Amino acid sequence: MSEFELIRKYFSHTVEERTDVVLGVGDDCALLQPPQGCQLAVSIDTLVEGVHFFPDIDPFLLGHKALAVNLSDLAAMGARPAWVTLALALPDSDPRWLQGFSQGFAALAHIHNVQLVGGDTTRGPLTITAQVHGFIEPEKALRRDAASVDDLVYVTGTLGDAGLALRMIQGSVSADDYLPSLRDRLERPQPRIAEGLAVKGLARGGIDISDGLISDLGHICRASDLGAKLFLDQVPLSEGVGRYINQGGDWGVPLASGDDYELCLTVPAENKDEFEARMQDTGIPFTLVGTMEQELGIRCQLPGGGLLDPLPGGYEHFSHE
Ligand code: ADP
Ligand code: MG
């Protein structure tokens, strides 16, 4: 199959046909019409075989995840997704792989009304780069530098599920009956788009938790020149991670492992009721886990009192050099 056949077969017939796409896949550039008065929110993420996913991953799940991790960044700004471009380096043109990958990608794109408008296809070690584009009204973005002292810190969903699944798969924690549900959270993250949109204008600071709560809340703290206090008995845990922690497991799992793709939001106390009402409407669980403080750094209060010390660190690609 030639490069052009491959693109035509798997990446030209997208389900979405947005009216703001003047010209989609097929020419030198896509032509796109952003809505009047909106800013463009743009984000790019790369997934590399052996670094971000196992070589034997189901290609459908990989297609899903390649888009999900990007959409999660739009969610974290409170942006509405619109378009995506996709750059693929492929070792070969395996039709089974391409079919699965393109279907997983398209299925999630359909859910969020995102249109694939272009990309690039080359031969090379399996590497997937997607860039998403979304819209946001000026001054409405949930920025990392926007938190204020005494803001309430909320997270969506439960934390550490993907991290515990990874440890079970890799064998450092023995696998148990929770593995299938935890594994689903690792392989099929759901970008919190509706939640980001719902609380835009009510929350101030925002980030998606891709490298663990400590690390990602740490980004908000540094950008906002503040610190934070977290109450570990409030941190939302699934049954699987809850049991793991109750049996003396490592707090690094819910606090410092990657791939949660939940949102961490800071909310001024005066917006608490309205924020909680809007979050309630989304149907996704959300939890108040702490507050922003003047004192720099993050302090984690253990369920029995006392502080967790040292804090577990998040995943960092170049930390072992
Ligand atoms: P050029 O040589 O001008 O860069 P290409 O031959 O790389 O163009 O791509 C031809 C068309 O196919 C372009 O519109 C490009 O955006 C699109 N395309 C290439 N690869 C992909 C892909 N993986 N997904 C979606 N569109 C793609
Ligand atoms: Mg060209």
Side-chain angles (χ1 to χ4, degrees):
M1 190 171 13
S2 81
E3 175 192 334
F4 301 107
E5 281 168 339
L6 186 159
I7 295 166
R8 206 169 35 249
K9 183 149 188 214
Y10 297 103
F11 298 106
S12 318
H13 309 286
T14 48
V15 200
E16 289 353 277
E17 297 243 343
R18 295 177 56 100
T19 55
D20 53 13
V21 177
V22 181
L23 189 60
V25 171
D27 213 316
D28 297 309
C29 294
L31 297 175
L32 307 169
Q33 184 62 59
Q36 284 255 319
C38 272
Q39 294 175 342
L40 211 46
V42 178
S43 181
I44 189 165
D45 265 303
T46 294
L47 301 182
V48 178
E49 184 179 72
V51 177
H52 300 95
F53 57 90
F54 299 113
D56 63 349
I57 188 176
D58 176 344
F60 185 95
L61 296 174
L62 187 58
H64 171 100
K65 192 159 178 176
L67 182 56
V69 301
N70 272 281
L71 290 179
S72 179
D73 284 317
L74 290 182
M77 296 301 275
R80 179 179 302 283
W83 312 310
V84 61
T85 51
L86 175 64
L88 294 174
L90 304 172
D92 49 43
S93 62
D94 172 1
R96 192 195 65 88
W97 190 92
L98 282 160
Q99 184 78 25
F101 179 87
S102 60
Q103 284 177 354
F105 193 90
L108 186 64
H110 179 63
I111 290 172
H112 295 286
N113 189 25
V114 174
Q115 184 167 342
L116 179 62
V117 296
D120 193 28
T121 307
T122 59
R123 189 185 290 274
L126 184 57
T127 305
I128 300 146
T129 301
Q131 183 173 46
V132 285
H133 308 74
F135 310 137
I136 187 142
E137 301 85 352
E139 311 296 324
K140 285 288 176 63
L142 305 166
R143 294 168 51 137
R144 297 180 184 189
D145 61 3
S148 283
V149 70
D150 296 333
D151 275 4
L152 307 170
V153 178
Y154 284 84
V155 297
T156 60
T158 54
L159 302 185
D161 299 336
L164 189 56
L166 188 63
R167 290 185 193 208
M168 287 180 178
I169 293 164
Q170 290 177 331
S172 64
V173 171
S174 63
D176 67 17
D177 39 324
Y178 287 110
L179 181 54
S181 65
L182 296 171
R183 189 173 187 131
D184 192 62
R185 296 264 296 152
L186 175 66
E187 293 176 338
R188 215 196 294 261
Q190 298 300 326
R192 301 304 189 196
I193 295 290
E195 294 67 31
L197 289 171
V199 302
K200 183 175 51 175
L202 292 171
R204 264 197 285 240
I207 193 167
D208 64 323
I209 307 175
S210 53
D211 301 316
L213 178 61
I214 300 282
S215 168
D216 289 314
L217 177 59
H219 292 306
I220 292 186
C221 288
R222 267 184 301 280
S224 300
D225 206 15
L226 294 171
K229 177 149 198 188
L230 294 175
F231 300 94
L232 296 189
D233 57 354
Q234 308 288 323
V235 169
L237 306 178
S238 64
E239 280 182 51
V241 175
R243 189 170 75 182
Y244 169 78
I245 291 293
N246 285 335
Q247 290 170 351
D250 173 10
W251 275 102
V253 165
L255 297 179
S257 47
D259 279 350
D260 284 325
Y261 299 105
E262 297 294 347
L263 298 182
C264 173
L265 301 162
T266 89
V267 180
E270 65 264 28
N271 292 349
K272 182 175 195 282
D273 293 345
E274 205 182 339
F275 170 87
E276 292 191 353
R278 294 250 196 107
M279 281 301 296
Q280 205 103 50
D281 290 341
T282 69
I284 293 296
F286 60 95
T287 315
L288 175 58
V289 294
T291 48
M292 299 303 294
E293 295 184 334
Q294 203 73 62
E295 188 186 344
L296 301 183
I298 296 178
R299 290 151 292 284
C300 291
Q301 187 173 308
L302 287 159
L307 295 180
L308 182 65
D309 185 31
L311 290 183
Y315 188 75
E316 221 263 279
H317 282 272
F318 295 102
S319 61
H320 303 299
E321 286 188 345

Coordinates of all heavy atoms in Angstrom, one line a residue, residues 217-276:
L217 N -0.4 19.4 40.5 CA -0.8 20.5 41.4 C 0.5 21.4 41.6 O 0.4 22.6 41.7 CB -1.4 20.0 42.7 CG -1.7 21.1 43.7 CD1 -2.8 22.1 43.2 CD2 -2.3 20.4 45.0
G218 N 1.6 20.8 41.6 CA 2.9 21.5 41.8 C 3.1 22.5 40.7 O 3.6 23.6 40.9
H219 N 2.7 22.2 39.5 CA 2.7 23.1 38.3 C 1.9 24.3 38.6 O 2.2 25.5 38.3 CB 2.3 22.5 37.0 CG 3.3 21.4 36.6 ND1 4.6 21.7 36.4 CD2 3.1 20.1 36.2 CE1 5.2 20.6 36.0 NE2 4.3 19.6 35.9
I220 N 0.7 24.1 39.1 CA -0.2 25.2 39.5 C 0.4 26.1 40.5 O 0.4 27.3 40.5 CB -1.6 24.7 39.9 CG1 -2.4 24.1 38.8 CG2 -2.4 25.8 40.5 CD1 -3.8 23.6 39.1
C221 N 1.0 25.4 41.6 CA 1.6 26.1 42.7 C 2.7 27.0 42.2 O 2.8 28.2 42.5 CB 2.2 25.2 43.7 SG 0.9 24.3 44.6
R222 N 3.6 26.5 41.4 CA 4.8 27.3 40.9 C 4.3 28.4 40.0 O 4.8 29.5 40.1 CB 5.7 26.4 40.1 CG 6.8 25.8 41.0 CD 7.9 25.0 40.3 NE 7.2 23.9 39.6 CZ 6.9 22.8 40.2 NH1 7.2 22.6 41.5 NH2 6.3 21.8 39.6
A223 N 3.4 28.1 39.1 CA 2.9 29.1 38.1 C 2.2 30.3 38.8 O 2.2 31.4 38.4 CB 2.0 28.5 37.0
S224 N 1.5 29.9 39.9 CA 0.7 30.9 40.7 C 1.5 31.5 41.9 O 0.9 32.3 42.6 CB -0.6 30.2 41.2 OG -1.4 29.8 40.1
D225 N 2.7 31.0 42.1 CA 3.6 31.4 43.2 C 2.9 31.2 44.5 O 2.9 32.0 45.4 CB 3.9 32.9 43.0 CG 5.2 33.3 43.6 OD1 5.9 32.4 44.0 OD2 5.4 34.5 43.9
L226 N 2.4 30.0 44.7 CA 1.7 29.6 45.9 C 2.1 28.2 46.3 O 2.8 27.5 45.6 CB 0.1 29.6 45.7 CG -0.5 31.0 45.4 CD1 -2.0 30.8 45.0 CD2 -0.4 31.9 46.7
G227 N 1.5 27.7 47.4 CA 1.7 26.3 47.8 C 0.3 25.7 48.0 O -0.7 26.4 47.7
A228 N 0.2 24.5 48.5 CA -1.1 23.9 48.7 C -1.0 22.9 49.9 O 0.1 22.3 50.2 CB -1.5 23.2 47.5
K229 N -2.2 22.6 50.5 CA -2.3 21.6 51.5 C -3.3 20.6 51.0 O -4.4 21.0 50.5 CB -2.7 22.2 52.8 CG -2.9 21.1 53.9 CD -2.7 21.7 55.3 CE -2.4 20.5 56.2 NZ -2.3 21.0 57.6
L230 N -3.0 19.3 51.1 CA -3.9 18.2 50.6 C -4.2 17.4 51.8 O -3.3 17.1 52.7 CB -3.2 17.4 49.6 CG -2.9 18.0 48.2 CD1 -2.1 17.0 47.3 CD2 -4.2 18.5 47.5
F231 N -5.5 16.9 51.9 CA -5.9 16.0 53.0 C -6.1 14.6 52.4 O -7.0 14.4 51.6 CB -7.2 16.5 53.6 CG -7.1 17.9 54.2 CD1 -7.4 19.0 53.5 CD2 -6.5 18.0 55.5 CE1 -7.2 20.3 54.0 CE2 -6.3 19.3 56.0 CZ -6.7 20.4 55.3
L232 N -5.1 13.7 52.7 CA -5.1 12.5 52.0 C -6.4 11.6 52.3 O -6.7 10.8 51.5 CB -3.8 11.7 52.4 CG -2.5 12.4 51.9 CD1 -1.3 11.5 52.1 CD2 -2.6 12.8 50.5
D233 N -7.0 11.8 53.4 CA -8.3 11.0 53.7 C -9.4 11.5 52.7 O -10.4 10.8 52.6 CB -8.7 11.1 55.1 CG -8.9 12.5 55.6 OD1 -8.6 13.5 54.9 OD2 -9.4 12.6 56.8
Q234 N -9.2 12.6 52.1 CA -10.2 13.1 51.1 C -9.9 12.7 49.7 O -10.8 12.8 48.8 CB -10.2 14.7 51.1 CG -10.4 15.3 52.4 CD -11.8 15.1 53.0 OE1 -12.7 15.2 52.2 NE2 -11.9 14.9 54.2
V235 N -8.7 12.3 49.4 CA -8.3 11.9 48.0 C -9.2 10.8 47.5 O -9.2 9.7 48.2 CB -6.8 11.6 47.9 CG1 -6.4 11.0 46.6 CG2 -6.0 12.8 48.2
P236 N -9.9 11.0 46.4 CA -10.8 10.0 45.9 C -10.1 8.8 45.3 O -9.3 8.9 44.4 CB -11.6 10.7 44.8 CG -10.7 11.8 44.3 CD -9.8 12.2 45.5
L237 N -10.4 7.6 45.9 CA -9.8 6.3 45.5 C -10.9 5.4 45.0 O -11.9 5.3 45.7 CB -9.0 5.7 46.6 CG -8.0 6.6 47.3 CD1 -7.3 5.9 48.5 CD2 -6.9 7.1 46.3
S238 N -10.6 4.6 44.0 CA -11.5 3.5 43.6 C -11.4 2.4 44.6 O -10.5 2.4 45.5 CB -11.1 3.0 42.2 OG -9.8 2.4 42.3
E239 N -12.3 1.4 44.5 CA -12.2 0.3 45.5 C -10.8 -0.4 45.4 O -10.2 -0.7 46.5 CB -13.3 -0.7 45.2 CG -14.6 -0.3 45.7 CD -15.7 -1.3 45.5 OE1 -15.4 -2.5 45.8 OE2 -16.7 -1.0 44.9
G240 N -10.3 -0.5 44.2 CA -9.0 -1.2 44.0 C -7.9 -0.5 44.7 O -7.1 -1.1 45.5
V241 N -7.8 0.8 44.4 CA -6.7 1.6 45.0 C -6.9 1.8 46.5 O -6.0 1.8 47.3 CB -6.5 2.9 44.3 CG1 -5.5 3.8 44.9 CG2 -6.2 2.7 42.8
G242 N -8.2 1.9 46.9 CA -8.5 2.1 48.3 C -8.0 0.9 49.1 O -7.4 1.0 50.2
R243 N -8.3 -0.3 48.6 CA -7.8 -1.6 49.3 C -6.3 -1.6 49.3 O -5.7 -2.0 50.3 CB -8.4 -2.8 48.5 CG -8.2 -4.1 49.4 CD -8.9 -5.2 48.8 NE -8.3 -5.7 47.6 CZ -8.8 -6.7 46.9 NH1 -9.9 -7.3 47.2 NH2 -8.2 -7.1 45.8
Y244 N -5.7 -1.2 48.2 CA -4.2 -1.2 48.1 C -3.6 -0.3 49.2 O -2.7 -0.7 49.9 CB -3.8 -0.8 46.7 CG -2.4 -0.5 46.6 CD1 -1.4 -1.5 46.4 CD2 -1.9 0.8 46.5 CE1 -0.1 -1.2 46.3 CE2 -0.6 1.1 46.3 CZ 0.3 0.1 46.2 OH 1.7 0.4 46.0
I245 N -4.2 0.9 49.4 CA -3.7 1.8 50.4 C -4.0 1.3 51.8 O -3.2 1.3 52.7 CB -4.3 3.2 50.2 CG1 -3.8 3.9 48.9 CG2 -4.1 4.1 51.4 CD1 -2.3 4.2 48.9
N246 N -5.2 0.7 52.0 CA -5.6 0.2 53.3 C -4.6 -0.9 53.7 O -4.4 -1.2 54.9 CB -7.0 -0.3 53.3 CG -8.0 0.9 53.4 OD1 -7.6 2.0 53.9 ND2 -9.2 0.7 52.9
Q247 N -4.1 -1.6 52.7 CA -3.2 -2.7 53.1 C -1.7 -2.3 53.2 O -0.8 -3.0 53.1 CB -3.3 -3.8 52.0 CG -4.7 -4.6 52.1 CD -4.9 -5.5 50.9 OE1 -4.2 -5.5 49.9 NE2 -6.0 -6.3 51.0
G248 N -1.6 -0.9 53.3 CA -0.2 -0.4 53.5 C 0.5 0.0 52.2 O 1.7 0.2 52.2
G249 N -0.3 0.1 51.1 CA 0.3 0.4 49.8 C 0.9 1.8 49.8 O 0.7 2.6 50.7
D250 N 1.6 2.0 48.7 CA 2.4 3.3 48.6 C 1.5 4.4 48.1 O 0.8 4.3 47.1 CB 3.4 2.9 47.5 CG 4.2 4.1 47.0 OD1 4.1 5.2 47.6 OD2 4.9 3.9 46.0
W251 N 1.5 5.5 48.9 CA 0.7 6.7 48.5 C 1.2 7.3 47.1 O 0.5 8.1 46.5 CB 0.8 7.8 49.5 CG -0.2 7.6 50.6 CD1 0.0 7.1 51.9 CD2 -1.6 7.9 50.5 NE1 -1.2 7.1 52.6 CE2 -2.2 7.6 51.8 CE3 -2.4 8.5 49.6 CZ2 -3.5 7.7 52.1 CZ3 -3.8 8.6 49.8 CH2 -4.3 8.2 51.1
G252 N 2.4 6.9 46.7 CA 2.8 7.3 45.3 C 1.9 6.8 44.2 O 1.8 7.5 43.2
V253 N 1.1 5.8 44.5 CA 0.2 5.3 43.4 C -0.9 6.3 43.2 O -1.0 6.8 42.0 CB -0.4 3.9 43.8 CG1 -1.6 3.5 42.9 CG2 0.7 2.8 43.6
P254 N -1.7 6.7 44.2 CA -2.7 7.8 43.8 C -2.1 9.2 43.7 O -2.8 10.0 43.1 CB -3.7 7.7 45.0 CG -2.9 7.1 46.1 CD -1.9 6.2 45.5
L255 N -1.0 9.5 44.2 CA -0.5 10.8 44.2 C 0.6 11.1 43.2 O 0.8 12.3 42.9 CB 0.1 11.2 45.6 CG -0.8 11.1 46.8 CD1 0.0 11.5 48.1 CD2 -2.0 12.1 46.6
A256 N 1.2 10.1 42.7 CA 2.4 10.4 41.8 C 2.6 9.4 40.7 O 3.7 9.2 40.2 CB 3.7 10.4 42.7
S257 N 1.5 8.8 40.3 CA 1.7 7.9 39.1 C 0.9 8.6 37.9 O 0.0 9.4 38.1 CB 1.3 6.5 39.3 OG 0.0 6.4 39.9
G258 N 1.3 8.2 36.7 CA 0.8 8.9 35.5 C -0.5 8.4 35.0 O -1.1 7.5 35.6
D259 N -1.0 9.1 34.0 CA -2.1 8.6 33.2 C -3.5 8.6 33.8 O -4.4 7.9 33.4 CB -1.8 7.1 32.7 CG -0.9 7.1 31.5 OD1 -0.7 8.2 30.9 OD2 -0.5 6.0 31.1
D260 N -3.7 9.4 34.9 CA -5.1 9.6 35.4 C -6.0 10.3 34.5 O -7.2 10.0 34.3 CB -5.0 10.3 36.8 CG -4.5 9.5 37.9 OD1 -4.8 8.3 37.9 OD2 -3.9 10.1 38.8
Y261 N -5.5 11.4 33.9 CA -6.3 12.3 33.0 C -7.6 12.8 33.7 O -8.6 12.9 33.0 CB -6.5 11.6 31.6 CG -5.2 11.4 31.0 CD1 -4.6 10.1 30.9 CD2 -4.4 12.5 30.6 CE1 -3.4 9.9 30.4 CE2 -3.2 12.3 30.0 CZ -2.7 11.0 29.9 OH -1.4 10.8 29.4
E262 N -7.5 13.0 35.0 CA -8.6 13.7 35.7 C -8.2 15.2 35.7 O -7.1 15.5 35.4 CB -8.7 13.1 37.1 CG -9.2 11.7 37.2 CD -10.6 11.5 36.6 OE1 -11.3 12.4 36.4 OE2 -10.9 10.3 36.4
L263 N -9.1 16.0 36.1 CA -8.8 17.5 36.3 C -8.5 17.8 37.7 O -9.1 17.3 38.6 CB -10.0 18.3 35.8 CG -10.4 18.1 34.3 CD1 -11.5 19.1 33.9 CD2 -9.2 18.4 33.4
C264 N -7.6 18.7 37.9 CA -7.4 19.4 39.2 C -7.7 20.8 39.0 O -7.2 21.5 38.1 CB -5.9 19.2 39.6 SG -5.5 20.1 41.1
L265 N -8.6 21.4 39.8 CA -9.2 22.7 39.6 C -9.1 23.5 40.9 O -9.3 22.9 42.0 CB -10.6 22.6 39.2 CG -10.9 21.8 37.9 CD1 -12.3 21.4 37.8 CD2 -10.5 22.7 36.7
T266 N -8.8 24.8 40.9 CA -8.8 25.6 42.1 C -10.0 26.5 41.9 O -10.2 27.1 40.9 CB -7.5 26.3 42.3 OG1 -7.5 27.6 41.7 CG2 -6.3 25.5 41.9
V267 N -10.7 26.7 43.1 CA -12.0 27.3 43.0 C -12.1 28.3 44.2 O -11.9 28.0 45.3 CB -13.2 26.3 43.2 CG1 -14.5 27.0 43.1 CG2 -13.1 25.2 42.1
P268 N -12.4 29.6 43.9 CA -12.6 30.6 45.0 C -13.8 30.2 45.9 O -14.8 29.7 45.3 CB -12.8 31.9 44.3 CG -13.0 31.6 42.8 CD -12.6 30.2 42.6
A269 N -13.6 30.3 47.2 CA -14.6 29.9 48.1 C -16.0 30.4 47.8 O -17.0 29.7 47.9 CB -14.3 30.2 49.5
E270 N -16.1 31.7 47.2 CA -17.4 32.3 46.9 C -18.1 31.5 45.8 O -19.3 31.7 45.6 CB -17.3 33.8 46.7 CG -16.5 34.2 45.5 CD -15.0 34.5 45.8 OE1 -14.5 34.0 46.8 OE2 -14.4 35.3 45.0
N271 N -17.3 30.8 45.0 CA -18.0 30.0 43.9 C -18.3 28.6 44.2 O -18.7 27.8 43.3 CB -17.0 30.0 42.6 CG -16.9 31.4 42.0 OD1 -17.6 32.3 42.4 ND2 -16.0 31.6 41.1
K272 N -18.0 28.2 45.5 CA -18.1 26.8 45.8 C -19.5 26.1 45.5 O -19.5 25.1 44.8 CB -17.9 26.6 47.4 CG -17.9 25.2 47.9 CD -17.5 25.2 49.4 CE -17.2 23.8 49.9 NZ -18.3 22.9 50.1
D273 N -20.6 26.8 45.9 CA -21.9 26.2 45.7 C -22.2 26.0 44.2 O -22.7 25.0 43.7 CB -23.0 27.0 46.4 CG -22.8 26.9 47.9 OD1 -22.1 26.0 48.3 OD2 -23.4 27.7 48.6
E274 N -21.9 27.1 43.4 CA -22.2 27.0 42.0 C -21.3 26.1 41.3 O -21.8 25.3 40.4 CB -22.1 28.4 41.4 CG -23.0 28.6 40.2 CD -22.8 30.0 39.5 OE1 -22.4 30.9 40.2 OE2 -23.1 30.1 38.3
F275 N -20.1 26.1 41.7 CA -19.1 25.1 41.1 C -19.6 23.7 41.3 O -19.7 22.8 40.4 CB -17.7 25.3 41.7 CG -16.7 24.2 41.3 CD1 -16.0 24.3 40.2 CD2 -16.6 23.1 42.2 CE1 -15.1 23.3 39.9 CE2 -15.7 22.1 41.9 CZ -14.9 22.2 40.7
E276 N -20.0 23.4 42.6 CA -20.4 22.0 42.9 C -21.7 21.7 42.2 O -21.8 20.5 41.7 CB -20.5 21.8 44.4 CG -19.2 21.9 45.1 CD -19.2 21.5 46.6 OE1 -20.3 21.3 47.1 OE2 -18.1 21.4 47.1

